[in-house]
Amino acid sequence: MSIIQRFFDIIYRYKFTIIGSLLLVLSILVILHNAKIETRIETFLPGYKPGRPIEEIDDPAVQNMVRMALKFGDSANVSILYNSRVPLDHAGALERLRTFQKKLEGLKDVRLVISILNYPGADAYFENDAVDIRKLPSELRNFVSEDGHYAMFLVVLSVSKQVEPVVRRLTDSLKGEPILVLSEPSVNNKLFDELKRSMFFYPVLMFLVILSLFFYQTQSLRAAWVSLFIPVLSSIYTYALYFFFGGVLNVLTSMTASFLIIIGSAYPLHYYNAIFRTEDVRKHISIPIFFSMLTTAVGFMSFLFVKIPAFKEFGLLVSIGLFLDFLLTITIGHELLGRAKRKTIRTPKSFGIRYFGNKTAIVILIILVFFTVLSVYYLPKLKVGFNTMDYFSEKSDIRKAYKVLEEKFGMKESIYLVLEKESGVFLPFDDKNIDSIIKDLSDHPEVASVDFPRSVSTTALIFASRTQPVLRRYIADGRTIRLSINLTPTGAEDIDKVTEIINKTMQKFSYKYYVSGTPYIMKAINDSILSSQIQSIVVALILVFVMLIIVFRDLAESVKLISPVLFATILNFFYMSVFGMKLEISTAITSSIIIGLAIDYSIHLGHDYNKTGNVFTSIKNVGPAIVGNALGIIFGFLTLLIGGELVLFKRISILVSLGIFTAALLTLTVLPFMLSFQKVKKLRRIGGMEDE
């Protein structure tokens, strides 16, 4: 054979690999040119569209926020907690605060700083350059902590474009100062840093961990490497398509690569193991891999039926990635894994997998049924909810700042009560009504304090607001004012109760009013989480079950095959209870993920059992690949526990790992018993097995 013929023979033999490499280069160029990341909490609101103004979201909480911002000329706000070494009620303690405030006011893009130093009427409580904390009225208590060690500075920024870079620059300018920073842009900056970590650090770590496990099982470094290379390639293609069509990554979609590496590596692994069992491997294994991919994709595609855009995009991206992963497995994988098989002299390890008998299966089934019943008991007790702190771990500066706010200031969140007069302007006789509103609200344990200047009449404040910018926080015009209601942790946890209190209080007065604030945005998100969880689980189970019926054409067998998934899904809620987790953004997606992943094991076992009719042989055939894949998924997800301050992904890692362990255990013990029943006794000695 001539050199030219050999060259073209190699090109033909590895044609898919060559084409894939060219597409890889093109995809990387597309990603580098178009990649964007969005970290705003609004990405989880129904109706949110990346790059579009927030006011386009058709949600009352958002509309009230926009309405208030326009009325009061709100700009970006940053709350800074200053830790004073000398208690602020000690003589001379205010000098350090003045120095710090002057530094703040001199920073670029800082329009206004509000603190105890310039709050209207606050100087009446100063003595010997210190604060008489015991005599402070309620509206000033959110500027000085109860123990006098912390002062609150509200920094109003002048920003015309994106606020996050401005806040990052401001925070960097204050390094070395004894402060903690609280603001939505600060949260977004921290999320952005963590998302970069999740996009690069975790996939690399997962790759190495799963590579080690696959190498041990396949006994071939080349095969293990190819099994990981294919989902990496699929991830890059998926991101390229997403960015090419204008997609913007968010908290969930940034994890697409990690999910594809963990899930997609199973297809090449099953393919490689099948090479040692059959001559025409593509014909033999492509069908079960295809249906495994399809049912897994169905689990993720169930997110398309929920209202939250971030869920929809995440489900769509993973589903597209899995389809690409399947195509790459039977094309590039076929070429490279075939070469890996030719180059190795060792066969894959079996892990000693065998069918352990009826008695073992029954004992495991009884135990799981007990815990499943327990799960149903715990389900109504699960808390549903999500707040900013739920993003981060205890060691995060964001979490520390909120902890100080709770422990030292007795508050957790703030909302606004906007009062409007339909006719006329606020006059001195309105002061009595405002005082009554403040008193009524402050009498409830859900309210820490109500911030509104009361040292002078409201009419005087309206006139003074024309020359004193600090008053624009409270006065929009002669007909519109707002009260800042600082909520205790109890109030922040039950915003519905706070709204009820406000509505009841306002029944006594004729003012038009509305409430606004970030807690109402969070409530809108939380309200959609539970319905999204139920919708995604029901849709995923129905679609997966329909797929099983189509594939196996047997209703009874399909019920048996889906049983491990059902157990794992229900037990997921029990695991949440054990670890004290709430039903929120991260935990809401785990059930559908488990459904999509775990059904693969049932399909591979069911497909092989239909061919062999022998449960012992089928366990030996597909058991090692199932165990290898389950270990890859479990250890792959557990890498999310390493480092980082974002606990959203840590919760996912724990729940998915436990779910996959449960499903794999059931598939290798209980499912064979259910599929075979009396056949097991007849075949108990096949393969050297003794039925227990």
Side-chain angles (χ1 to χ4, degrees):
M1 182 183 292
S2 68
I3 295 176
I4 296 177
Q5 284 180 307
R6 186 177 300 174
F7 173 75
F8 282 107
D9 180 62
I10 293 173
I11 289 178
Y12 180 76
R13 186 184 303 173
Y14 297 104
K15 56 184 177 296
F16 292 117
T17 304
I18 294 170
I19 294 171
S21 300
L22 294 174
L23 290 175
L24 173 61
V25 174
L26 179 62
S27 297
I28 291 174
L29 292 175
V30 170
I31 292 172
L32 292 175
H33 186 263
N34 297 287
K36 294 179 182 178
I37 299 179
E38 173 64 81
T39 57
R40 296 167 65 185
I41 189 62
E42 289 83 8
T43 58
F44 294 105
L45 277 171
Y48 174 81
K49 295 179 181 178
R52 302 297 300 170
I54 188 174
E55 51 264 28
E56 292 186 8
I57 299 176
D58 186 19
D59 183 273
V62 175
Q63 295 301 320
N64 281 344
M65 183 79 85
V66 172
R67 178 183 173 188
M68 183 181 69
L70 291 174
K71 191 71 176 179
F72 287 83
D74 286 343
S75 190
N77 295 338
V78 178
S79 296
I80 296 178
L81 302 176
Y82 183 90
N83 186 4
S84 176
R85 288 181 295 178
V86 179
L88 297 175
D89 55 356
H90 283 43
L94 292 180
E95 182 59 34
R96 287 183 178 274
L97 291 191
R98 290 193 183 92
T99 302
F100 181 68
Q101 178 150 336
K102 187 175 180 181
K103 181 177 181 178
L104 283 176
E105 291 171 340
L107 294 177
K108 184 180 179 182
D109 296 316
V110 172
R111 191 181 79 189
L112 176 67
V113 178
I114 304 174
S115 72
I116 190 72
L117 297 173
N118 62 350
Y119 192 93
D123 53 359
Y125 305 95
F126 295 171
E127 186 176 348
N128 296 324
D129 208 26
V131 181
D132 190 345
I133 297 176
R134 291 173 300 175
K135 294 182 179 179
L136 283 180
S138 61
E139 66 265 21
L140 290 175
R141 292 193 176 276
N142 59 310
F143 287 100
V144 178
S145 64
E146 295 174 0
D147 62 3
H149 281 284
Y150 286 89
M152 171 83 78
F153 290 84
L154 180 64
V155 181
V156 181
L157 302 175
S158 178
V159 183
S160 58
K161 295 183 180 179
Q162 193 173 9
V163 67
E164 280 76 14
V166 175
V167 173
R168 188 183 292 275
R169 186 173 63 249
L170 179 139
T171 306
D172 290 342
S173 300
L174 297 174
K175 281 185 177 178
E177 296 284 357
I179 63 168
L180 291 169
V181 180
L182 273 175
S183 70
E184 186 176 333
S186 299
V187 171
N188 290 341
N189 283 333
K190 179 62 71 173
L191 283 174
F192 181 80
D193 295 339
E194 290 297 315
L195 291 187
K196 287 194 297 183
R197 178 187 181 87
S198 69
M199 289 182 65
F200 299 103
F201 172 76
Y202 288 126
V204 171
L205 186 59
M206 289 172 179
F207 187 97
L208 295 175
V209 169
I210 299 174
L211 181 68
S212 302
L213 289 168
F214 282 13
F215 172 60
Y216 177 77
Q217 198 273 314
T218 62
Q219 296 292 288
S220 168
L221 182 60
R222 192 187 301 268
W225 184 88
V226 172
S227 295
L228 271 298
F229 170 72
I230 287 175
V232 169
L233 201 58
S234 169
S235 301
I236 295 172
Y237 290 168
T238 302
Y239 278 138
L241 286 171
Y242 185 58
F243 290 134
F244 180 78
F245 288 102
V248 179
L249 286 185
N250 56 53
V251 175
L252 285 181
T253 54
S254 67
M255 290 300 292
T256 300
S258 296
F259 274 79
L260 289 178
I261 288 173
I262 295 171
I263 303 168
S265 58
Y267 307 153
L269 179 67
H270 279 291
Y271 201 95
Y272 183 73
N273 278 271
I275 291 176
F276 292 85
R277 304 197 306 267
T278 181
E279 291 294 328
D280 192 354
V281 61
R282 183 181 283 168
K283 181 179 179 181
H284 174 79
I285 197 66
S286 292
I287 294 176
I289 289 179
F290 173 76
F291 283 111
S292 293
M293 177 277 299
L294 192 58
T295 50
T296 302
V298 162
F300 284 94
M301 290 289 280
S302 66
F303 293 137
L304 294 180
F305 294 89
V306 304
K307 297 179 180 179
I308 302 175
F311 279 45
K312 292 182 179 182
E313 292 177 10
F314 175 70
L316 182 62
L317 280 186
V318 175
S319 300
I320 292 173
L322 291 174
F323 178 70
L324 293 176
D325 190 84
F326 166 73
L327 293 180
L328 293 172
T329 297
I330 62 174
T331 52
I332 295 176
H334 179 77
E335 295 172 350
L336 298 183
L337 291 172
R339 178 176 174 80
K341 197 264 184 183
R342 293 191 296 271
K343 293 291 183 179
T344 188
I345 58 174
R346 292 179 290 185
T347 58
K349 282 184 175 292
S350 67
F351 290 118
I353 297 300
R354 60 188 178 88
Y355 180 56
F356 291 97
N358 290 0
K359 291 181 180 178
T360 301
I362 292 172
V363 169
I364 292 174
L365 183 60
I366 291 173
I367 293 172
L368 286 174
V369 167
F370 170 77
F371 283 109
T372 301
V373 173
L374 209 59
S375 300
V376 176
Y377 170 76
Y378 276 108
L379 182 58
K381 298 185 177 183
L382 281 177
K383 289 184 178 180
V384 180
F386 176 82
N387 57 52
T388 304
M389 285 199 300
D390 289 330
Y391 271 129
F392 303 103
S393 62
E394 292 288 344
K395 66 181 181 180
S396 168
D397 287 342
I398 301 290
R399 197 73 177 257
K400 290 176 183 176
Y402 272 104
K403 192 172 182 180
V404 168
L405 202 61
E406 287 186 33
E407 295 179 355
K408 303 298 182 180
F409 290 83
M411 57 180 285
K412 186 174 183 179
E413 298 277 5
S414 296
I415 60 173
Y416 299 97
L417 171 60
V418 180
L419 305 181
E420 298 177 324
K421 294 196 74 170
E422 294 189 73
S423 60
V425 296
F426 281 89
L427 298 171
F429 67 80
D430 289 299
D431 292 345
K432 184 178 179 180
N433 292 340
I434 294 171
D435 287 339
S436 179
I437 292 170
I438 292 174
K439 182 181 181 304
D440 287 352
L441 294 177
S442 301
D443 285 342
H444 293 274
E446 291 81 8
V447 177
S449 61
V450 180
D451 174 17
F452 185 79
R454 294 302 304 121
S455 57
V456 295
S457 72
T458 306
T459 305
L461 290 175
I462 292 171
F463 282 111
S465 66
R466 300 171 183 174
T467 57
Q468 295 185 33
V470 67
L471 295 177
R472 287 287 296 165
R473 174 174 169 81
Y474 309 96
I475 310 295
D477 51 48
R479 300 172 59 181
T480 311
I481 65 173
R482 68 176 169 185
L483 285 60
S484 177
I485 303 174
N486 302 312
L487 305 179
T488 62
T490 304
E493 289 291 328
D494 193 353
I495 195 68
D496 285 331
K497 178 69 178 298
V498 174
T499 306
E500 182 183 327
I501 291 170
I502 293 172
N503 290 337
K504 187 175 181 180
T505 299
M506 295 306 298
Q507 285 178 357
K508 308 172 189 176
F509 307 99
S510 59
Y511 303 118
K512 284 183 62 180
Y513 71 95
Y514 61 91
V515 288
S516 181
T518 302
Y520 286 98
I521 303 291
M522 300 304 302
K523 180 184 181 301
I525 294 171
N526 290 333
D527 287 345
S528 64
I529 286 176
L530 183 59
S531 61
S532 297
Q533 169 80 76
I534 295 171
Q535 287 175 350
S536 62
I537 290 176
V538 171
V539 171
L541 286 174
I542 291 174
L543 292 178
V544 166
F545 186 62
V546 170
M547 291 302 305
L548 289 176
I549 293 175
I550 293 173
V551 174
F552 293 96
R553 300 178 184 179
D554 188 313
L555 180 62
E557 186 173 3
S558 298
V559 171
K560 296 173 187 176
L561 290 173
I562 203 172
S563 60
V565 171
L566 285 172
F567 277 112
T569 302
I570 297 171
L571 286 170
N572 183 50
F573 296 102
F574 173 72
Y575 298 142
M576 287 172 59
S577 300
V578 169
F579 287 96
M581 298 179 184
K582 296 189 293 185
L583 184 58
E584 37 79 12
I585 290 173
S586 62
T587 56
I589 68 173
T590 55
S591 293
S592 294
I593 291 172
I594 292 169
I595 292 170
L597 292 177
I599 197 63
D600 287 9
Y601 307 148
S602 296
I603 288 176
H604 282 287
L605 181 62
H607 184 268
D608 196 88
Y609 179 70
N610 283 347
K611 286 182 174 294
T612 64
N614 186 319
V615 70
F616 299 107
T617 302
S618 291
I619 289 292
K620 286 184 178 180
N621 284 345
V622 302
I626 289 175
V627 171
N629 173 244
L631 290 175
I633 290 175
I634 291 170
F635 283 98
F637 273 104
L638 289 179
T639 59
L640 296 174
L641 297 177
I642 299 174
E645 297 182 12
L646 208 59
V647 294
L648 287 177
F649 301 144
K650 298 182 190 298
R651 288 190 282 267
I652 291 175
S653 73
I654 292 172
L655 293 178
V656 173
S657 298
L658 288 170
I660 293 303
F661 171 78
T662 302
L665 177 66
L666 285 169
T667 302
L668 296 174
T669 56
V670 176
L671 183 57
F673 167 69
M674 296 176 69
L675 287 173
S676 56
F677 285 111
Q678 295 301 317
K679 291 182 182 179
V680 173
K681 294 181 179 179
K682 297 178 182 179
L683 300 170
R684 62 185 180 181
R685 295 188 179 277
I686 293 179
M689 281 284 307
E690 183 71 31
D691 185 30
E692 297 179 358

